[in-house]
Amino acid sequence: MTFQIGDKVVYPNQGVGTIENISTRSFGTAFERFYLLRFGCSMTVLVPLSNAANIGLRRVTKDREISRILSFLAIDWCPFNPDWKVRFKENSEKMQNGDLLKGAEVLKSLLQLHIDKPLSFREKKMLDRARHMLVSEISIARGVPEIHALNLMQRALAKSGLSLPAIH
């Protein structure tokens, strides 16, 4: 899969970025092409074209998949491992995968856990990353401001008895 300058793409565990440039750099006698991704105003990441598929760089999800994600957030509960170390490892792998549904699973399972007990610092950070990843992709896919995407997500979660904690 190749991308062009200006394309919106999803970088796993970071969210939606824009391809700002495609450049070539030399390493001795070898040359490598890179995507320069920009996230927000300040963060940029260089991704080698040869490694883009391996790290899970992908196009923004289509609107019908967003509907499926919102439905998932609105119904039932997610199973989660009671052992912190195992749960954190599983959730980290889901976030690295870059699949939006996996990110929704992380978000939902952490919100469920949060009902019974406070989240650890690392799990709070993971919850914030999952929230950001989902909100940014819903916003781009639906063509709405992030605040509207957040409201869509909160309404879906409310149907399953969950709510997002305030960001600190």
Side-chain angles (χ1 to χ4, degrees):
M1 181 178 300
T2 57
F3 305 104
Q4 305 299 318
I5 293 173
D7 285 353
K8 301 274 188 205
V9 295
V10 177
Y11 186 87
N13 219 7
Q14 294 299 325
V16 178
T18 304
I19 295 184
E20 194 170 85
N21 196 3
I22 301 171
S23 61
T24 303
R25 300 219 173 156
S26 64
F27 298 96
T29 59
F31 290 90
E32 179 77 53
R33 291 179 48 87
F34 289 87
Y35 293 120
L36 174 67
L37 304 180
R38 177 165 302 277
F39 298 91
C41 296
S42 58
M43 188 173 117
T44 59
V45 175
L46 278 176
V47 178
L49 269 69
S50 62
N51 201 30
N54 293 341
I55 64 163
L57 196 66
R58 63 174 175 76
R59 297 197 185 286
V60 173
T61 300
K62 300 285 188 228
D63 185 49
R64 68 179 168 275
E65 180 67 10
I66 296 298
S67 296
R68 193 167 81 92
I69 298 298
L70 293 171
S71 293
F72 168 79
L73 293 175
I75 58 169
D76 296 329
W77 284 68
C78 286
F80 58 85
N81 196 305
D83 182 276
W84 184 90
K85 287 180 186 176
V86 174
R87 182 177 63 243
F88 189 79
K89 183 178 183 295
E90 289 172 349
N91 285 341
S92 294
E93 288 170 359
K94 288 178 181 179
M95 292 295 291
Q96 287 296 331
N97 174 284
D99 180 275
L100 196 60
L101 184 58
K102 298 285 185 198
E105 287 174 11
V106 170
L107 178 92
K108 194 167 184 179
S109 66
L110 290 174
L111 290 174
Q112 289 169 197
L113 179 65
H114 183 64
I115 289 172
D116 295 330
K117 63 180 187 174
L119 297 178
S120 69
F121 175 78
R122 291 175 77 188
E123 286 185 316
K124 284 181 189 173
K125 287 295 197 193
M126 187 172 291
L127 176 65
D128 286 343
R129 276 197 318 275
R131 173 197 341 224
H132 171 74
M133 189 176 89
L134 286 162
V135 167
S136 63
E137 194 154 356
I138 291 168
S139 170
I140 299 296
R142 291 262 167 111
V144 298
E146 286 195 2
I147 190 70
H148 293 327
L150 180 62
N151 289 335
L152 284 170
M153 203 165 76
Q154 286 176 316
R155 282 198 303 272
L157 287 166
K159 291 176 183 175
S160 62
L162 298 170
S163 63
L164 292 167
I167 298 176
H168 299 286

